[in-house]
Amino acid sequence: MRNLFLGEPAMKSTSDFRASFIDMWRDIRVSVVLPPLTVAICICVVMSIMMFIERVYMTIVILLVKFTGQKKYRQYKLQSLKEDLEQNRSYPMVLIQIPMYNEKEVYKLSIGSACSLKWPSARLIVQVLDDSTNGILRSLVEVECKKWIQRGVNVKYETRNNRNGYKAGALREGLTKDYVLDCEFVVIFDADFQPEKDFLWRTVPYLLINPELALVQARWKFVNANECLMTRLQEMSLAYHFTIEQEVGSSTCQFFGFNGTAGVWRIKAIEDAGGWKDRTTVEDMDLAVRASLKGWKFVFVGDLDVKNELPSTFKAYRYQQHRWSCGPANLFRKMSKEIISCERVSFWKKFHVLYAFFFVRKIIAHWVTFFFYCIVIPISIMVPEVHLPKAVAIYIPATITILNSSCTLRSLHLLVFWILFENVMSFHRSKATIIGLLGANRVNEWVVTEKLGNTTKQKCRVRPPPAPTRNRSRFFEKLLFSEIVMGLFLLYVACYDMIFGNDHMYIYLLMQSIAFFTVGVGYVGISPPN
């Protein structure tokens, strides 16, 4: 191992004083900096290899599934069941839940889309779970519900006096209503989701054919992906999640994390798993893991898209990513023993959930991206005694990046921007992951992702310019000092490498420092509405 990481430092002739100073600095590097840095490199090498193996494995599986036509959802003959349902009129009772909280921009879209679904009206209930704190907005949502009631849709408008449990609490309380007792399945749509009219016909039959099936998950389609550069980069990240991660989980062990929306659950499976719990900020993933440990199976329908909106302000995106990173780490901490001791599922499935689903994808992926590429490699540039293997520093990351970005071919020209932005966000995600694992402060922080509704409407809206004092205060409010400090650190290392190095790493470091500065001053996404 010593031969792998230790190399001869480059020495230059100089004055005796300078030579003694260089010798002293070299001794400090070798005795103080080198040992922990070597350990950090070894850890990052192991994490990189773990992540590389996971990505290659999923690529092999998805290629086999694609070329052999063995996608799970294509093994069901839905057309014959649809014809049988229409002939016998044996439609199951379906409940649609729409949880919302002060959704002034999108409540009409979500309610209208759910009420327009094709299904016998006598066998469909649309339940609007409104936790809004704005009294005027509550009255507007209620009026919208009454409008659809007059059109013959069975809409139930439910409110609470508190937000206990947040979304999980609202969904849990909604299932306790008397009129839900006759329902066999429940469909969940977040407030910005707009399903196509045939959504139920393309999902519910799966549950009728297979009694062991608990969840049918549809794919997301982003209506505002072209709104700004940040939304395009989000689309690249989420495309891999749906195209690869969920398809592989569905095709191999019939398990994947429920996305919290655009899915149909068998109510019996929810009850068998213990119902909705609010112990983490990822109540959807929590329910999916518990249902899986009970032996229930899931199917992902990759050719069924549901329109929704990406966060287009950086503030909303940061809050969302904190919840999506902190919650899984916290759930991993709370459920590891339960998963290991579960005797109902196979060893392979437990290994998949613990190692691949949680450890590699939810923890290692964030840590190695930030600590290796933004901390360890830059420090190694200033410590010439360390030798970074090219396979780990260049080839493995390049392969992982190509595999991750291959799902969004239309955005390949944005690959460099995506890499730099993901590295910046890995800083935020790594902090959130550590908070989740330790159960520290902000572990249960829940901030609803802000939706802006129709993006065209937002662009055409004319806003009066704010006062100059407001502009200055808003500028300082957007500053993120931790990102600015990271940018200064990378800029310093880039300058050091430019003067003393000979490997041209300063090109990457300069671009990455600019990315941190750009995010640090809030010049990302669109400006939030007043």
Side-chain angles (χ1 to χ4, degrees), residues 69-85:
Q70 296 299 313
K71 292 184 178 181
K72 280 293 178 183
Y73 67 93
R74 291 181 177 171
Q75 298 175 11
Y76 294 85
K77 298 180 180 179
L78 299 188
Q79 187 60 34
S80 59
L81 179 61
K82 181 180 178 181
E83 295 174 356
D84 182 65
L85 282 175

Side-chain angles (χ1 to χ4, degrees), residues 13-157:
S13 59
T14 183
S15 63
D16 294 339
F17 174 78
R18 186 179 180 186
S20 61
F21 178 79
I22 291 177
D23 291 340
M24 181 180 66
W25 170 232
R26 182 184 61 185
D27 293 339
I28 293 175
R29 289 199 311 259
V30 172
S31 60
V32 178
V33 180
L34 185 59
L37 183 59
T38 303
V39 173
I41 291 176
C42 292
I43 294 174
C44 289
V45 166
V46 172
M47 291 194 297
S48 296
I49 294 174
M50 291 168 62
M51 192 172 168
F52 174 76
I53 294 173
E54 172 68 9
R55 291 295 189 268
V56 171
Y57 159 74
M58 288 195 292
T59 301
I60 294 174
V61 172
I62 202 67
L63 290 175
L64 290 174
V65 167
K66 183 176 180 180
F67 290 117
T68 59
Q70 296 299 313
K71 292 184 178 181
K72 280 293 178 183
Y73 67 93
R74 291 181 177 171
Q75 298 175 11
Y76 294 85
K77 298 180 180 179
L78 299 188
Q79 187 60 34
S80 59
L81 179 61
K82 181 180 178 181
E83 295 174 356
D84 182 65
L85 282 175
E86 291 177 336
Q87 182 177 358
N88 299 326
R89 298 188 176 276
S90 56
Y91 304 101
M93 196 75 176
V94 178
L95 172 71
I96 298 178
Q97 290 185 312
I98 309 175
M100 58 177 58
Y101 173 73
N102 293 338
E103 308 286 1
K104 62 179 180 179
E105 299 289 353
V106 295
Y107 74 91
K108 285 187 178 181
L109 294 174
S110 58
I111 295 174
S113 298
C115 292
S116 301
L117 291 174
K118 293 181 179 179
W119 199 255
S121 58
R123 310 298 294 171
L124 182 67
I125 301 175
V126 177
Q127 187 184 63
V128 179
L129 304 169
D130 190 9
D131 278 356
S132 300
T133 54
N134 187 314
I136 297 176
L137 184 56
R138 275 196 176 193
S139 61
L140 291 174
V141 175
E142 187 174 9
V143 168
E144 182 69 15
C145 292
K146 290 180 179 179
K147 182 181 75 174
W148 285 99
I149 292 174
Q150 293 174 357
R151 297 182 182 181
V153 182
N154 188 1
V155 181
K156 304 292 184 180
Y157 178 68

Side-chain angles (χ1 to χ4, degrees), residues 203-216:
T203 52
V204 172
Y206 290 102
L207 296 160
L208 294 175
I209 294 174
N210 186 356
E212 297 181 347
L213 206 60
L215 168 66
V216 178

